Amino acid sequence: NAGVTQTPKFRILKIGQSMTLQCTQDMNHNYMYWYRQDPGMGLKLIYYSVGAGITDKGEVPNGYNVSRSTTEDFPLRLELAAPSQTSVYFCASRLPGVNTEAFFGQGTRLTVV
Amino acid sequence: DAKTTQPNSMESNEEEPVHLPCNHSTISGTDYIHWYRQLPSQGPEYVIHGLTSNVNNRMASLAIAEDRKSSTLILHRATLRDAAVYYCILRLSNAGGTSYGKLTFGQGTILTVHP
């Protein structure tokens, strides 16, 4: 199994540009998450989804949008990139239940200049 | 949400045991204790979790205090590959709320392993 796959791995954006970070998982997990990690800090939750068609905001949702049309895919959209969005973005997925582990992708390193 | 407190950094020598502490004095009865680690330039990976009893798996052991206000992740023989940031995270059980498995990461403990 590939697990959680994120694309691209690296991206440089200019201020005001938009882009979509792709995330797909092949484990049939209901729950999916987007986190961002700034240098030297822990991960912060941006958005999450508990199933196709259901999304909700996390701790730091401003400047981002998500959609979940299928179980496998959970893209993250940046509409008007700002320098404050320079970060490493991680997608994760898991099955429901207290005894399940989260699986993370390898991350997308985004720089906004 | 109940918070966790971990030392900023710890050091170990290769092939020696490592005990990584975590304080969670405001833990509730429905909080599970989860540990994840993040190797350099990678996403976090699951290590172990428990509720009340000590737990063992192929990666590590988790020792939970009787009052559950602290726990310790034990790496029995550290290797260079264990150098990572280790996160201690509390997860609400589904019966206790609607956390939907969201993980709240602190800054974790940076573990350095010396050859």
Side-chain angles (χ1 to χ4, degrees), chain A residues 36-96:
Chain A
R36 61 175 286 174
Q37 185 174 33
D38 298 329
M41 306 296 288
L43 283 70
K44 292 185 177 180
L45 182 65
I46 305 171
Y47 270 95
Y48 67 101
S49 169
V50 299
I54 306 170
T55 63
D56 205 349
K57 296 177 181 179
E59 184 183 0
V60 289
N62 291 345
Y64 307 94
N65 279 301
V66 294
S67 59
R68 184 96 182 269
S69 57
T70 67
T71 299
E72 296 78 19
D73 300 307
F74 189 40
L76 178 71
R77 179 82 177 162
L78 282 71
E79 289 295 348
L80 290 171
S84 61
Q85 294 177 304
T86 294
S87 190
V88 181
Y89 292 83
F90 291 101
C91 179
S93 73
R94 76 187 314 145
L95 288 169

Side-chain angles (χ1 to χ4, degrees), chain B residues 92-115:
Chain B
L92 284 172
S93 71
N94 287 343
T98 54
S99 68
Y100 297 118
K102 292 177 285 185
L103 300 173
T104 300
F105 288 81
Q107 290 192 251
T109 297
I110 301 171
L111 175 65
T112 301
V113 180
H114 298 290

Side-chain angles (χ1 to χ4, degrees), chain B:
Chain B
D1 290 343
K3 290 187 176 179
T4 63
T5 304
Q6 300 176 251
N8 289 334
S9 62
M10 292 186 66
E11 297 187 18
S12 173
N13 294 318
E14 204 174 6
E15 298 192 3
E16 290 185 354
V18 181
H19 291 233
L20 296 165
C22 180
N23 287 322
H24 28 78
S25 58
T26 59
I27 192 171
S28 75
T30 54
D31 286 341
Y32 279 72
I33 303 159
H34 284 244
W35 283 81
Y36 283 76
R37 72 179 186 181
Q38 186 173 21
L39 303 174
S41 300
Q42 295 193 26
E45 64 177 352
Y46 168 82
V47 177
I48 200 167
H49 78 279
L51 182 62
T52 56
S53 303
N54 294 344
V55 184
N56 300 297
N57 66 20
R58 62 175 179 81
M59 288 182 70
S61 296
L62 177 59
I64 301 173
E66 195 169 337
D67 63 6
R68 300 207 330 122
K69 294 186 176 183
S70 66
S71 61
T72 302
L73 178 70
I74 302 167
L75 307 179
H76 296 285
R77 289 185 65 190
T79 69
L80 296 178
R81 195 193 174 278
D82 291 321
V85 180
Y86 287 79
Y87 296 100
C88 170
I89 300 167
L90 301 182
R91 266 199 61 196
L92 284 172
S93 71
N94 287 343
T98 54
S99 68
Y100 297 118
K102 292 177 285 185
L103 300 173
T104 300
F105 288 81
Q107 290 192 251
T109 297
I110 301 171
L111 175 65
T112 301
V113 180
H114 298 290

